[in-house]
Amino acid sequence: MCTIPRCSRERRVVEVSGSSRVGHIALLGNYLPRQCGLATYTTDTYDALRNRFPDLKVDVYAMDDHPGRYAYPAAVTGAIPQDDRSAYLETAKAIEASGAQALWVQHEYGIYGGSAGDYLLALLDRLTIPVIVTLHTILEKPSAEERRVMDALLHRAARVIVMADRGREILTRVYGASPRSIVMIPHGVPDRPFVNANTLKHAFGWSGRDVILTFGLLAPNKGIETMIEAMPAIAAQHPCALYVVLGATHPNLVAHEGEAYRERLATLAADLGVAGNIRFIDGFVEHDDLLDYLQAADIYATPYSNPAQITSGTLSYAVGVGKAVVSTPYVHATEILADGHGVLVDFGDSAAFGREINALLGNERNRLRLSERAYARGRTMIWPRLAEKAMSEVEVMVTAQPRRLNTGGMLSNLKPDLSAVERMSDSTGMLQHSIFSVPDRRHGYCIDDNARALILLCAIDDIDDATRDKWTSIYASFVQHAWNPDKRRFRNFMNFDRSWCEETGSEDSNGRALWALGVTARDARVQKHRDWAARLFDDTAALAFKLGSPRAHAFAMLGAAAMLEVQPTHRLSRELLERFGNELLVLLDTARRPEWSWFEIVLAYDNARLPEALIRSGLALGRDDFVATGLETLEWIEARQTSPDGRFRAVGTDSFGREYAEPLPFDQQPLEAQATIDACAAAYQATGDTRWVEGANRAYRWYLGANDLDLPLASFGDGGCFDGLNPAGLNRNQGAESILALQLASVAISALGKRSGAVAGQGGAVAA
C-alpha cells in the first residue's frame, strides 16, 4: 500500500466572532469503527473540529446498532443503544450535566430507534441547549411518520445544515422550514495534494491500466449494472481499462440474501465478456486507504439510480482529490459538478457512460483540465472550512440564547393587570393574535378569547367601574352576537371586518361560551350583566347535550356548576352536570390502566379542566364519587406535570395524540398552568388540604420563570405573557389566550391565597 504525504494542517484557531462563548459542544451520530458513511462523516467532523479549534471540548455520543460490538476510541464519551429509549433520556441528562453549550446532530433515517427514528426527539425534548442538525437525507415525499419526525426535528433545531442547495429548497417548500434557519455547508473533504494517478497505480497492481473507480457499500441503488454494461464499449477502445468496484456489500442486503447481489454482478460481467476488465474489492476500506484508491484512479464514476440523493460523501471525496467524474444527475451531483466541474449522463444510460468515459480516456489534456477544475472546487470543501462554518453557526446560536432568569431568589406574585388585555382589544372584542406585543388584525377575533375575557372582567379587582362596564359590555356583546339561533350553536371565528368565518364554531368554543355565561351570571359585578348572562345561558345551554368532546363537556360543566350557585334548583344545569359527570366516570373506567388514571388514552390541552369539572360538579351536586374521582385524576395529571426537580412542567403540545405515552415537555403553553391552578383551587375547596395550594403555587411560578428553561413568560410591568416555552427559548408573541391565562391565573392565585391564609408564591423580586 502506497503512503501519500499529507499537506500540513494549520493549527491556529480561526477567529469566530465571540468564539470565547463556545468552548464545549456535544456531537451525536454514528462513529468509527462502525462501518458506514455516516460514521466516517461524524469521525471526520470531530477530527476537523479538534484540529481547527484545539481548545474546543467536543463530547461524542455514538449511535450503536450492535451494543458491545464496537471498540470505540477515547473520543467517544458515550454510546446509545439504538433501540433503547431510556438510553436516549439518560444521554440527554448527561449532555445537560456536562456543560456542553450546544449539540450538533448528524441525522439520517435508520440510525435512530423508534418510529422513523423518533427516539431522537425524546432526547432533544429534554435538552435546554441549542441544537444544530446536519441532514444527510431530505425526503421530498416522506411517509406520515417520517414527516412527523422531520417536522419536529426542524422545530427544535436552531440551525439546519444541508449539503446541497436543493436541500434548502425542499425544506422550505415541502416542510415549511424557515430559510433563516438553514445553512448550506458542503460535505467535507480531506486536504490532500493533487497528484498524477499514474504515479500511484503500482501500489495496487494497476500499472498500465486506465482505472475507473466506484466506491461505496454495494447495493442495487448504486447502479453498478449500468457501468458494467458500459464496459464492453470502453474495453473496445481501451483494452487496458479496468473498472474497480470498491466496497463491502450493504449489511442489510447481506442479512437478506448474503452475497447473491455481488455474484449477479460478476455473472453479468462474465456474460458481457468483460470479466477481465472489472475487479471487485470486497471489504470496508479505512479512510486513508480510500483516499489512496481514489488518487490512483483516472476517473470516478457514480452511476447511482436515485435522482433525489442529496449527498454523496464519496463523490465529495473524489472532487476533493481532483478526479474527473462521470455521474448520473442526482441532486448532489448536479450541484457539485455544475459549471464544467464534471460530466453528467442520464440515469441507466450505459451507452452515455461508455461514450463519455472513452472521450476522457482518449484525451489526457481534457481529463487533466477537468481534474484540475474539480480539485479547485474541492479546496472550498476541505474539512477545516466545514469546521469554521459550522462553529460560526454554533456561535450565533449560543449568542442568541435568551437571557436566563436567576431563580435562586424568591419569586413574587404579580398583581392582576388589565393593560395587555386592553391593548389587544377594540370596540368589537379581543383580537386573537399578535406579532410580539402588537395586535395582528389579520387573524381577527374568536369567541374562545372573548369568553375568557368576560370571565376575567367578572373576577379582576382594582379597576374602576367605568372600565369594567365598558369591557364587560364589549365582550358580552361579542358572545351575544356569536349566537346563531338558526343553527342553535355559537360561532367562533370572526374576521377583522366583523364578518363571521363560519356558521357554527368548534365544540370547545361552544363549551367555553357556556362556561363564561355561567360564571358571568354568578360573578358579574352589576345586576344587568348577571341578568343578561343568566338569560342567554337558559336559551343556549341545551346545545351542550349535542357536544361529544370531553373537554367541551367539562367547559359546559364549569358554567353549569356556576349557575347552580346562582339558582340551586336550575334543572338544566343539574341535568348537564349529572350526565357529563357520569360520562367522565365511564371514560375513566374504559381508558384506565394500572399506570394510567386518565379519561382518555392520550393527553391533550387544558387537561386539568377535566378533573376540575368533576370536582366542582361533585361539590354542586353533593356527589362524593365525582369529587373523589376528580381528586384522583388531578393527582395523576399533576404528577405528569412535575419535572424531576419539582417544578411545574406543562404537558407539551408534542405529546398530543400519543396513546398511553408519558408527556413530552415542549412546546409548553400558558393555558396549562392556568387550568392547573383552577383545578388545584377546586381541590382545596373540596378538601382543605394545603398540598393543593402548593400545587397551584408551583404552576403559577411557571409564569415567573420556575420552569425548564428558567425563563419568565410574564412580561413584567404591562400584563403581557409570551405564547409558549419551546426548546430554543420563548415564543415571544403575546396572543390573547396567553395574556388571559396569566391574568386569570393571577386572579385565581390571589383569591386562593386569601382563602387558604397561605402566602402564595413565596417572595422576592423577579427581573423583567
Side-chain angles (χ1 to χ4, degrees):
M1 181 66 65
C2 61
T3 302
I4 306 298
R6 296 178 180 273
C7 293
S8 61
R9 297 181 183 271
E10 295 181 89
R11 300 293 296 180
R12 67 179 179 85
V13 177
V14 172
E15 289 296 326
V16 177
S17 175
S19 59
S20 60
R21 290 200 58 183
V22 183
H24 185 185
I25 69 170
L27 186 62
L28 173 62
N30 295 355
Y31 204 84
L32 294 175
R34 181 172 176 174
Q35 296 182 353
C36 68
L38 189 66
T40 301
Y41 183 94
T42 309
T43 305
D44 286 340
T45 297
Y46 171 83
D47 290 339
L49 289 169
R50 294 293 296 121
N51 287 329
R52 203 61 172 135
F53 302 98
D55 295 330
L56 177 68
K57 182 179 180 182
V58 183
D59 296 333
V60 175
Y61 296 89
M63 293 308 306
D64 203 335
D65 59 340
H66 292 94
R69 172 182 293 184
Y70 307 117
Y72 288 114
V76 175
T77 303
I80 306 174
Q82 177 176 315
D83 297 316
D84 182 357
R85 188 175 184 275
S86 64
Y88 291 78
L89 308 185
E90 290 304 313
T91 300
K93 293 179 182 178
I95 293 173
E96 283 283 291
S98 73
Q101 295 164 276
L103 172 66
W104 186 356
V105 176
Q106 309 301 323
H107 182 266
E108 175 69 274
Y109 290 105
I111 72 167
Y112 299 102
S115 178
D118 67 356
Y119 285 1
L120 172 62
L121 304 181
L123 186 156
L124 299 182
D125 279 338
R126 286 157 176 79
L127 294 180
T128 60
I129 59 176
V131 174
I132 186 169
V133 179
T134 297
L135 299 178
H136 292 259
T137 296
I138 304 173
L139 300 176
E140 194 162 11
K141 296 181 179 179
S143 68
E145 282 297 282
E146 290 166 339
R147 175 63 187 259
R148 176 182 67 84
V149 171
M150 183 56 67
D151 283 343
L153 191 60
L154 293 172
H155 188 62
R156 285 159 176 74
R159 287 291 186 279
V160 177
I161 296 175
V162 297
M163 301 185 209
D165 286 326
R166 180 67 184 282
R168 184 199 307 271
E169 187 273 330
I170 294 173
L171 289 178
T172 54
R173 172 173 54 84
V174 176
Y175 297 91
S178 168
R180 294 189 299 273
S181 68
I182 304 170
V183 57
M184 206 287 278
I185 302 178
H187 193 295
V189 301
D191 189 7
R192 281 205 170 186
F194 184 81
V195 298
N196 186 325
N198 290 325
T199 64
L200 307 175
K201 291 179 181 178
H202 66 278
F204 301 100
W206 297 346
S207 296
R209 307 297 296 264
D210 296 320
V211 180
I212 307 132
L213 176 69
T214 294
F215 167 77
L217 292 175
L218 207 60
N221 66 341
K222 296 299 177 65
I224 305 301
E225 298 90 341
T226 301
M227 267 302 303
I228 293 175
E229 291 167 354
M231 284 309 296
I234 296 171
Q237 291 190 31
H238 299 88
C240 292
L242 178 66
Y243 179 40
V244 178
V245 181
L246 175 62
T249 306
H250 196 289
N252 293 342
L253 199 60
V254 172
H256 178 66
E257 60 176 35
E259 292 293 347
Y261 178 64
R262 183 182 296 273
E263 293 166 3
R264 290 195 297 272
L265 293 177
T267 299
L268 175 62
D271 291 345
L272 294 174
V274 291
N277 297 95
I278 297 176
R279 183 173 301 171
F280 292 95
I281 301 176
D282 182 6
F284 183 82
V285 182
E286 296 295 335
H287 178 266
D288 287 349
D289 294 341
L290 166 61
L291 298 177
D292 293 343
Y293 275 109
L294 279 170
Q295 289 193 294
D298 296 290
I299 294 172
Y300 189 75
T302 55
Y304 299 164
S305 59
N306 179 13
Q309 184 160 339
I310 292 291
T311 184
S312 166
T314 56
L315 174 61
S316 298
Y317 282 9
V319 170
V321 298
K323 290 295 102 179
V325 177
V326 180
S327 174
T328 50
Y330 56 93
V331 170
H332 193 202
T334 59
E335 293 192 16
I336 198 173
L337 301 179
D339 306 321
H341 290 83
V343 178
L344 298 175
V345 299
D346 287 340
F347 295 100
D349 193 341
S350 298
F353 268 99
R355 181 179 64 252
E356 297 298 340
I357 290 173
N358 274 330
L360 289 170
L361 292 178
N363 191 322
E364 185 175 358
R365 180 183 178 188
N366 286 348
R367 189 172 73 249
L368 178 60
R369 285 179 175 176
L370 187 61
S371 297
E372 290 173 340
R373 287 177 62 83
Y375 187 74
R377 172 153 288 181
R379 297 314 85 212
T380 68
M381 301 160 52
I382 59 175
W383 283 108
R385 301 292 88 77
L386 177 143
E388 292 168 12
K389 292 177 182 177
M391 283 305 296
S392 177
E393 296 300 327
V394 171
E395 167 64 22
V396 171
M397 293 192 318
V398 171
T399 302
Q401 277 287 92
R403 181 170 58 87
R404 294 299 181 86
L405 176 71
N406 181 357
T407 55
M410 311 299 270
L411 301 175
S412 294
N413 289 344
L414 300 175
K415 182 180 179 180
D417 185 347
L418 204 61
S419 301
V421 176
E422 291 183 296
R423 181 180 71 227
M424 288 290 292
S425 301
D426 61 17
S427 60
T428 300
M430 193 169 187
L431 291 150
Q432 287 191 80
H433 298 300
S434 71
I435 301 173
F436 294 98
S437 63
V438 177
D440 186 356
R441 297 175 178 178
R442 295 174 301 170
H443 299 284
Y445 317 82
C446 69
I447 198 174
D448 285 314
D449 295 330
N450 282 274
R452 284 185 280 245
L454 185 57
I455 292 173
L456 176 63
L457 265 293
C458 294
I460 192 169
D461 293 321
D462 300 327
I463 60 173
D464 62 84
D465 292 343
T467 299
R468 188 188 306 277
D469 185 71
K470 171 188 173 182
W471 292 116
T472 302
S473 298
I474 286 174
Y475 303 137
S477 177
F478 190 98
V479 174
Q480 177 70 60
H481 186 46
W483 174 244
N484 185 340
D486 296 332
K487 300 292 185 179
R488 301 295 301 169
R489 291 281 285 268
F490 288 96
R491 304 174 180 91
N492 189 15
F493 296 112
M494 175 188 279
N495 294 314
F496 185 66
D497 65 3
R498 294 190 176 183
S499 61
W500 288 105
C501 302
E502 60 202 355
E503 288 298 301
T504 59
S506 67
E507 291 201 353
D508 282 358
S509 66
N510 275 262
R512 287 193 182 98
L514 296 179
W515 176 17
L517 291 173
V519 170
T520 304
R522 181 190 65 194
D523 295 340
R525 302 302 175 93
V526 294
Q527 189 66 43
K528 62 181 180 181
H529 292 138
R530 294 196 294 272
D531 291 345
W532 163 82
R535 172 68 177 272
L536 188 56
F537 184 92
D538 287 341
D539 290 345
T540 62
L543 71 84
F545 295 116
K546 295 184 179 180
L547 303 178
S549 160
R551 276 167 185 73
H553 290 171
F555 299 144
M557 290 167 73
L558 294 173
M563 276 299 298
L564 277 185
E565 292 187 51
V566 179
Q567 301 177 30
T569 60
H570 197 272
R571 182 189 57 79
L572 180 58
S573 293
R574 187 170 292 275
E575 181 182 354
L576 190 152
L577 293 176
E578 290 279 4
R579 180 185 299 187
F580 291 161
N582 286 326
E583 287 181 4
L584 283 175
L585 297 187
V586 171
L587 286 175
L588 178 63
D589 287 341
T590 302
R592 189 192 294 273
R593 296 287 186 274
E595 73 290 347
W596 191 268
S597 297
W598 195 241
F599 307 97
E600 302 165 301
I601 64 175
V602 298
L603 296 175
Y605 54 92
D606 249 351
N607 293 296
R609 293 298 175 194
L610 299 175
E612 181 195 1
L614 265 182
I615 294 170
R616 294 197 185 279
S617 296
L619 292 174
L621 299 173
R623 288 281 301 264
D624 292 342
D625 56 337
F626 282 10
V627 173
T629 302
L631 293 171
E632 174 200 345
T633 51
L634 178 58
E635 183 174 7
W636 185 87
I637 193 64
E638 189 188 34
R640 274 135 196 88
Q641 293 180 148
T642 303
S643 68
D645 60 358
R647 296 179 174 191
F648 179 78
R649 172 184 283 168
V651 172
T653 58
D654 290 336
S655 305
F656 297 176
R658 301 168 68 247
E659 296 184 3
Y660 293 114
E662 288 296 305
L664 301 173
F666 295 107
D667 288 351
Q668 299 180 32
Q669 306 294 311
L671 201 66
E672 304 305 321
Q674 183 218 340
T676 300
I677 292 166
D678 285 348
C680 287
Y684 176 73
Q685 182 181 345
T687 65
D689 189 340
T690 56
R691 62 161 290 190
W692 297 114
V693 177
E694 176 49 35
N697 287 330
R698 182 167 54 248
Y700 187 77
R701 290 192 291 266
W702 178 87
Y703 293 105
L704 307 180
N707 53 51
D708 284 316
L709 299 188
D710 290 338
L711 295 172
L713 284 94
S715 60
F716 301 93
D718 66 355
C721 182
F722 297 119
D723 276 349
L725 202 65
N726 58 54
L730 295 171
N731 177 345
R732 301 192 72 84
N733 294 330
Q734 296 186 27
E737 179 181 288
S738 303
I739 292 169
L740 289 166
L742 172 63
Q743 295 311 318
L744 285 163
S746 295
V747 168
I749 206 71
S750 175
L752 180 59
K754 293 174 182 176
R755 288 199 303 273
S756 66
V759 179
Q762 308 287 318
V766 179

